[in-house]
Amino acid sequence: MKTVKFSINRICVVISALLAFLFASVAVFLYLLTDNAAAVYAILFLAVLVYGGMFSFIAIVRKKLTAFSDMLCRQLDGMMQGNAANLEFAEEESLFYKISHRLSRLYGIMCENRQSIAREREDLQELISDVSHQVKTPIANLKMIETTLLERDIPEQKQKEFLSAMGGQLDKLDFLMQTLIKTSRLETGIISLEKKKQPIYDTLASALGGILLNAEKKNIKVLVHCPESIEVTHDKKWTGEALFNILDNAVKYTPGGGEIRVKAEKWEMYLKIDISDNGKGIPEKHHAEIFKRFYRESEVHDIDGIGIGLYLTREIITMQGGYVKVTSSSQRGATFSVFLPAD
Protein backbone atom coordinates (compact mmCIF):
# COMPACT_ATOMS: atom_id res chain seq x y z
CA MET A 1 0.00 0.00 0.00
CA LYS A 2 1.41 3.32 -1.09
CA THR A 3 1.44 6.03 1.56
CA VAL A 4 0.93 9.67 0.63
CA LYS A 5 3.35 12.16 2.19
CA PHE A 6 2.12 15.73 2.57
CA SER A 7 4.60 18.58 2.59
CA ILE A 8 3.97 21.85 4.41
CA ASN A 9 3.51 23.67 1.11
CA ARG A 10 0.97 21.13 -0.13
CA ILE A 11 -0.99 21.36 3.13
CA CYS A 12 -1.07 25.18 2.84
CA VAL A 13 -2.37 24.95 -0.75
CA VAL A 14 -5.11 22.51 0.27
CA ILE A 15 -6.19 24.69 3.21
CA SER A 16 -6.20 27.81 1.00
CA ALA A 17 -8.36 26.04 -1.62
CA LEU A 18 -10.81 24.87 1.04
CA LEU A 19 -11.06 28.37 2.51
CA ALA A 20 -11.57 29.88 -0.98
CA PHE A 21 -14.31 27.35 -1.68
CA LEU A 22 -15.93 28.09 1.69
CA PHE A 23 -15.90 31.87 1.21
CA ALA A 24 -17.19 31.55 -2.38
CA SER A 25 -20.01 29.26 -1.22
CA VAL A 26 -20.99 31.67 1.58
CA ALA A 27 -20.90 34.65 -0.84
CA VAL A 28 -23.10 32.86 -3.40
CA PHE A 29 -25.50 31.71 -0.70
CA LEU A 30 -25.85 35.23 0.75
CA TYR A 31 -26.34 36.76 -2.71
CA LEU A 32 -29.06 34.26 -3.56
CA LEU A 33 -30.66 34.74 -0.16
CA THR A 34 -30.57 38.57 0.04
CA ASP A 35 -29.93 39.63 -3.57
CA ASN A 36 -27.56 42.22 -2.07
CA ALA A 37 -24.14 42.81 -3.65
CA ALA A 38 -22.88 44.59 -0.52
CA ALA A 39 -23.04 41.31 1.44
CA VAL A 40 -20.90 39.63 -1.22
CA TYR A 41 -18.36 42.46 -1.07
CA ALA A 42 -18.27 42.12 2.73
CA ILE A 43 -17.56 38.39 2.44
CA LEU A 44 -14.86 39.03 -0.15
CA PHE A 45 -13.29 41.73 2.08
CA LEU A 46 -13.34 39.29 5.01
CA ALA A 47 -11.73 36.65 2.81
CA VAL A 48 -8.97 39.09 1.88
CA LEU A 49 -8.34 39.88 5.57
CA VAL A 50 -8.27 36.18 6.49
CA TYR A 51 -5.93 35.33 3.64
CA GLY A 52 -3.73 38.30 4.42
CA GLY A 53 -3.50 37.38 8.10
CA MET A 54 -2.92 33.73 7.30
CA PHE A 55 -0.16 34.37 4.79
CA SER A 56 1.46 36.96 7.09
CA PHE A 57 1.44 34.42 9.92
CA ILE A 58 2.88 31.71 7.68
CA ALA A 59 5.56 34.09 6.41
CA ILE A 60 6.58 35.07 9.96
CA VAL A 61 6.66 31.45 11.16
CA ARG A 62 8.56 30.36 8.06
CA LYS A 63 11.10 33.16 8.59
CA LYS A 64 11.59 32.18 12.23
CA LEU A 65 11.87 28.50 11.34
CA THR A 66 14.40 29.29 8.64
CA ALA A 67 16.44 31.47 11.01
CA PHE A 68 16.28 28.83 13.74
CA SER A 69 17.25 25.99 11.38
CA ASP A 70 20.19 28.04 10.06
CA MET A 71 21.43 28.81 13.57
CA LEU A 72 20.86 25.21 14.63
CA CYS A 73 22.84 23.95 11.65
CA ARG A 74 25.69 26.35 12.46
CA GLN A 75 25.68 25.16 16.05
CA LEU A 76 25.69 21.50 15.01
CA ASP A 77 28.51 22.18 12.55
CA GLY A 78 30.43 23.88 15.33
CA MET A 79 29.81 20.93 17.65
CA MET A 80 31.13 18.52 15.04
CA GLN A 81 34.21 20.71 14.64
CA GLY A 82 34.65 21.01 18.41
CA ASN A 83 34.24 24.79 18.70
CA ALA A 84 30.51 25.38 19.10
CA ALA A 85 29.44 28.66 20.67
CA ASN A 86 26.56 28.92 23.10
CA LEU A 87 23.79 30.44 20.98
CA GLU A 88 21.13 32.44 22.80
CA PHE A 89 17.82 33.70 21.43
CA ALA A 90 16.04 36.95 22.28
CA GLU A 91 12.81 35.08 23.11
CA GLU A 92 14.30 33.56 26.25
CA GLU A 93 11.27 31.44 27.11
CA SER A 94 10.45 30.42 23.55
CA LEU A 95 10.57 26.88 22.20
CA PHE A 96 13.57 27.83 20.06
CA TYR A 97 15.51 29.01 23.09
CA LYS A 98 14.68 25.85 25.06
CA ILE A 99 15.92 23.61 22.25
CA SER A 100 19.11 25.61 21.81
CA HIS A 101 19.73 25.71 25.56
CA ARG A 102 19.39 21.94 25.91
CA LEU A 103 21.54 21.40 22.86
CA SER A 104 24.24 23.55 24.45
CA ARG A 105 24.00 21.53 27.66
CA LEU A 106 24.27 18.31 25.67
CA TYR A 107 27.38 19.64 23.96
CA GLY A 108 28.89 20.55 27.33
CA ILE A 109 28.28 17.02 28.63
CA MET A 110 29.80 15.56 25.47
CA CYS A 111 32.89 17.76 25.91
CA GLU A 112 33.25 16.67 29.54
CA ASN A 113 32.98 13.01 28.54
CA ARG A 114 35.55 13.53 25.79
CA GLN A 115 37.93 15.21 28.23
CA SER A 116 37.37 12.43 30.77
CA ILE A 117 38.20 9.79 28.16
CA ALA A 118 41.31 11.76 27.15
CA ARG A 119 42.42 11.98 30.80
CA GLU A 120 41.86 8.25 31.27
CA ARG A 121 43.89 7.55 28.13
CA GLU A 122 46.71 9.77 29.39
CA ASP A 123 46.61 8.07 32.80
CA LEU A 124 46.76 4.67 31.12
CA GLN A 125 49.71 5.71 28.97
CA GLU A 126 51.43 7.14 32.04
CA LEU A 127 50.80 3.93 33.97
CA ILE A 128 52.18 1.78 31.15
CA SER A 129 55.24 4.02 30.94
CA ASP A 130 55.76 3.86 34.71
CA VAL A 131 55.35 0.09 34.80
CA SER A 132 57.79 -0.45 31.96
CA HIS A 133 60.30 1.80 33.70
CA GLN A 134 59.92 -0.01 37.04
CA VAL A 135 60.14 -3.49 35.47
CA LYS A 136 63.13 -2.64 33.30
CA THR A 137 65.76 -2.66 36.08
CA PRO A 138 65.00 -6.04 37.72
CA ILE A 139 64.61 -7.72 34.33
CA ALA A 140 67.97 -6.33 33.20
CA ASN A 141 69.56 -7.59 36.43
CA LEU A 142 68.01 -11.03 35.98
CA LYS A 143 69.33 -11.25 32.41
CA MET A 144 72.80 -10.22 33.54
CA ILE A 145 72.84 -12.84 36.31
CA GLU A 146 71.57 -15.51 33.92
CA THR A 147 74.25 -14.66 31.34
CA THR A 148 76.95 -14.74 34.03
CA LEU A 149 75.84 -18.13 35.34
CA LEU A 150 75.61 -19.65 31.86
CA GLU A 151 78.80 -18.28 30.31
CA ARG A 152 81.26 -18.32 33.20
CA ASP A 153 82.71 -20.99 35.41
CA ILE A 154 81.74 -19.71 38.85
CA PRO A 155 82.51 -21.32 42.25
CA GLU A 156 79.58 -22.85 44.11
CA GLN A 157 79.60 -20.16 46.78
CA LYS A 158 79.41 -17.42 44.16
CA GLN A 159 76.61 -19.28 42.39
CA LYS A 160 74.61 -19.23 45.62
CA GLU A 161 75.20 -15.49 45.91
CA PHE A 162 74.04 -14.94 42.33
CA LEU A 163 70.96 -17.12 42.88
CA SER A 164 70.20 -15.21 46.07
CA ALA A 165 70.46 -11.94 44.13
CA MET A 166 68.19 -13.41 41.45
CA GLY A 167 65.66 -14.32 44.13
CA GLY A 168 65.76 -10.75 45.41
CA GLN A 169 65.03 -9.39 41.94
CA LEU A 170 62.16 -11.87 41.51
CA ASP A 171 60.75 -10.77 44.87
CA LYS A 172 60.95 -7.17 43.70
CA LEU A 173 59.06 -8.03 40.51
CA ASP A 174 56.44 -9.95 42.47
CA PHE A 175 56.04 -7.04 44.90
CA LEU A 176 55.71 -4.63 41.99
CA MET A 177 53.06 -6.75 40.28
CA GLN A 178 51.04 -7.21 43.48
CA THR A 179 51.18 -3.49 44.20
CA LEU A 180 50.08 -2.63 40.67
CA ILE A 181 47.21 -5.09 40.93
CA LYS A 182 46.05 -3.46 44.16
CA THR A 183 46.35 -0.01 42.61
CA SER A 184 44.45 -1.06 39.50
CA ARG A 185 41.65 -2.64 41.52
CA LEU A 186 41.28 0.43 43.68
CA GLU A 187 41.25 2.86 40.74
CA THR A 188 38.77 0.82 38.69
CA GLY A 189 36.46 0.25 41.65
CA ILE A 190 36.76 -3.54 41.46
CA ILE A 191 37.57 -3.60 45.18
CA SER A 192 34.77 -2.33 47.39
CA LEU A 193 35.68 -1.32 50.92
CA GLU A 194 33.72 -3.13 53.61
CA LYS A 195 33.51 -0.52 56.33
CA LYS A 196 32.16 -1.29 59.78
CA LYS A 197 32.61 0.09 63.27
CA GLN A 198 35.50 -1.70 64.94
CA PRO A 199 38.54 -0.99 67.14
CA ILE A 200 41.40 0.78 65.38
CA TYR A 201 43.78 -0.98 67.82
CA ASP A 202 43.47 -4.32 65.96
CA THR A 203 43.97 -2.67 62.56
CA LEU A 204 47.05 -0.82 63.79
CA ALA A 205 48.41 -4.02 65.36
CA SER A 206 48.16 -5.89 62.04
CA ALA A 207 50.03 -3.05 60.28
CA LEU A 208 52.75 -2.99 62.95
CA GLY A 209 53.21 -6.75 62.67
CA GLY A 210 54.54 -6.32 59.15
CA ILE A 211 57.39 -3.95 60.11
CA LEU A 212 58.57 -5.13 63.54
CA LEU A 213 61.12 -7.61 62.16
CA ASN A 214 62.80 -5.02 59.92
CA ALA A 215 62.68 -2.46 62.73
CA GLU A 216 64.38 -4.96 65.05
CA LYS A 217 67.11 -5.62 62.46
CA LYS A 218 67.91 -1.89 62.41
CA ASN A 219 67.54 -1.59 66.19
CA ILE A 220 64.71 0.92 65.74
CA LYS A 221 62.49 1.46 68.77
CA VAL A 222 58.74 1.48 68.00
CA LEU A 223 56.55 3.23 70.60
CA VAL A 224 52.77 2.91 70.30
CA HIS A 225 49.99 4.74 72.12
CA CYS A 226 46.54 3.58 71.07
CA PRO A 227 43.72 2.99 73.58
CA GLU A 228 41.91 -0.27 72.86
CA SER A 229 38.55 1.43 73.40
CA ILE A 230 38.82 3.68 70.32
CA GLU A 231 36.41 2.53 67.62
CA VAL A 232 35.84 4.00 64.18
CA THR A 233 34.06 2.88 61.01
CA HIS A 234 36.68 1.63 58.54
CA ASP A 235 37.79 -1.29 56.40
CA LYS A 236 40.27 -3.22 58.52
CA LYS A 237 42.21 -4.91 55.71
CA TRP A 238 42.73 -1.88 53.46
CA THR A 239 43.22 0.61 56.30
CA GLY A 240 45.88 -1.74 57.67
CA GLU A 241 47.50 -1.74 54.24
CA ALA A 242 47.54 2.07 54.21
CA LEU A 243 49.07 2.32 57.69
CA PHE A 244 51.63 -0.39 56.86
CA ASN A 245 52.86 1.61 53.85
CA ILE A 246 53.58 4.62 56.06
CA LEU A 247 55.21 2.49 58.76
CA ASP A 248 57.31 0.62 56.18
CA ASN A 249 58.62 3.92 54.81
CA ALA A 250 59.39 5.08 58.34
CA VAL A 251 61.54 1.98 58.93
CA LYS A 252 63.29 2.37 55.56
CA TYR A 253 64.25 6.00 56.04
CA THR A 254 65.03 5.96 59.77
CA PRO A 255 68.69 5.25 60.58
CA GLY A 256 69.73 2.37 62.85
CA GLY A 257 69.06 3.07 66.51
CA GLY A 258 66.29 5.53 65.63
CA GLU A 259 62.76 5.76 66.92
CA ILE A 260 59.23 5.56 65.49
CA ARG A 261 56.23 6.83 67.46
CA VAL A 262 52.62 5.89 66.72
CA LYS A 263 49.77 7.72 68.43
CA ALA A 264 46.02 7.40 67.91
CA GLU A 265 43.52 9.81 69.39
CA LYS A 266 39.86 10.47 68.70
CA TRP A 267 38.76 14.01 67.97
CA GLU A 268 35.21 15.30 67.67
CA MET A 269 35.07 14.89 63.87
CA TYR A 270 38.01 12.60 63.07
CA LEU A 271 40.18 9.82 64.38
CA LYS A 272 43.81 10.96 64.04
CA ILE A 273 46.74 8.55 63.76
CA ASP A 274 50.21 10.12 63.88
CA ILE A 275 53.20 8.11 62.67
CA SER A 276 56.44 9.97 63.44
CA ASP A 277 60.08 9.06 62.83
CA ASN A 278 63.45 10.75 63.32
CA GLY A 279 64.79 9.86 59.89
CA LYS A 280 66.08 11.96 57.01
CA GLY A 281 62.88 13.96 56.66
CA ILE A 282 61.17 15.31 53.55
CA PRO A 283 61.84 18.79 52.13
CA GLU A 284 58.69 20.91 52.14
CA LYS A 285 58.79 21.35 48.35
CA HIS A 286 58.27 17.59 47.95
CA HIS A 287 55.31 17.22 50.31
CA ALA A 288 52.74 17.10 47.50
CA GLU A 289 54.88 15.05 45.12
CA ILE A 290 55.49 12.11 47.50
CA PHE A 291 51.86 11.01 47.07
CA LYS A 292 52.22 10.70 43.29
CA ARG A 293 52.41 7.26 41.75
CA PHE A 294 56.01 5.97 41.37
CA TYR A 295 57.51 9.19 42.73
CA ARG A 296 60.83 8.82 44.56
CA GLU A 297 63.37 11.45 45.51
CA SER A 298 66.65 11.17 43.62
CA GLU A 299 68.71 10.84 46.82
CA VAL A 300 66.85 7.71 48.02
CA HIS A 301 67.16 5.55 44.91
CA ASP A 302 69.62 3.29 46.72
CA ILE A 303 66.87 2.29 49.19
CA ASP A 304 64.47 -0.49 48.19
CA GLY A 305 61.09 0.72 47.01
CA ILE A 306 59.08 1.61 43.92
CA GLY A 307 57.36 4.80 45.11
CA ILE A 308 53.77 3.61 45.12
CA GLY A 309 53.06 2.98 48.83
CA LEU A 310 52.07 6.52 49.77
CA TYR A 311 49.97 6.81 46.62
CA LEU A 312 48.05 3.69 47.68
CA THR A 313 47.72 5.03 51.22
CA ARG A 314 46.17 8.29 50.09
CA GLU A 315 43.73 6.48 47.74
CA ILE A 316 42.59 4.05 50.45
CA ILE A 317 42.08 6.75 53.09
CA THR A 318 40.38 9.12 50.64
CA MET A 319 37.92 6.40 49.59
CA GLN A 320 36.86 6.18 53.23
CA GLY A 321 36.21 9.91 53.49
CA GLY A 322 39.48 10.74 55.21
CA TYR A 323 42.76 12.38 54.28
CA VAL A 324 46.51 12.19 54.91
CA LYS A 325 48.76 15.09 55.95
CA VAL A 326 52.54 15.20 56.24
CA THR A 327 54.64 17.47 58.47
CA SER A 328 58.37 17.34 57.88
CA SER A 329 61.56 19.17 57.05
CA SER A 330 64.91 17.97 55.81
CA GLN A 331 66.98 16.00 58.36
CA ARG A 332 64.34 16.45 61.08
CA GLY A 333 62.18 13.40 60.61
CA ALA A 334 58.60 13.23 59.36
CA THR A 335 55.13 12.89 60.80
CA PHE A 336 52.33 11.41 58.69
CA SER A 337 48.86 12.09 60.09
CA VAL A 338 45.99 9.89 58.94
CA PHE A 339 42.48 11.25 59.53
CA LEU A 340 39.43 8.97 59.41
CA PRO A 341 35.88 10.28 59.93
CA ALA A 342 34.67 9.65 63.47
CA ASP A 343 31.16 8.31 64.03
Side-chain angles (χ1 to χ4, degrees), residues 242-272:
L243 296 173
F244 166 78
N245 291 333
I246 298 176
L247 289 165
D248 188 50
N249 278 351
V251 172
K252 286 179 181 177
Y253 302 121
T254 298
E259 185 177 277
I260 296 174
R261 293 179 176 269
V262 181
K263 181 181 180 181
E265 56 181 335
K266 196 167 185 179
W267 293 0
E268 184 176 353
M269 299 293 293
Y270 287 94
L271 166 71
K272 181 186 180 187

Side-chain angles (χ1 to χ4, degrees), residues 39-60:
V40 176
Y41 294 143
I43 294 298
L44 293 177
F45 180 71
L46 178 62
V48 171
L49 289 178
V50 170
Y51 271 98
M54 184 179 69
F55 284 119
S56 297
F57 174 76
I58 292 174
I60 293 172

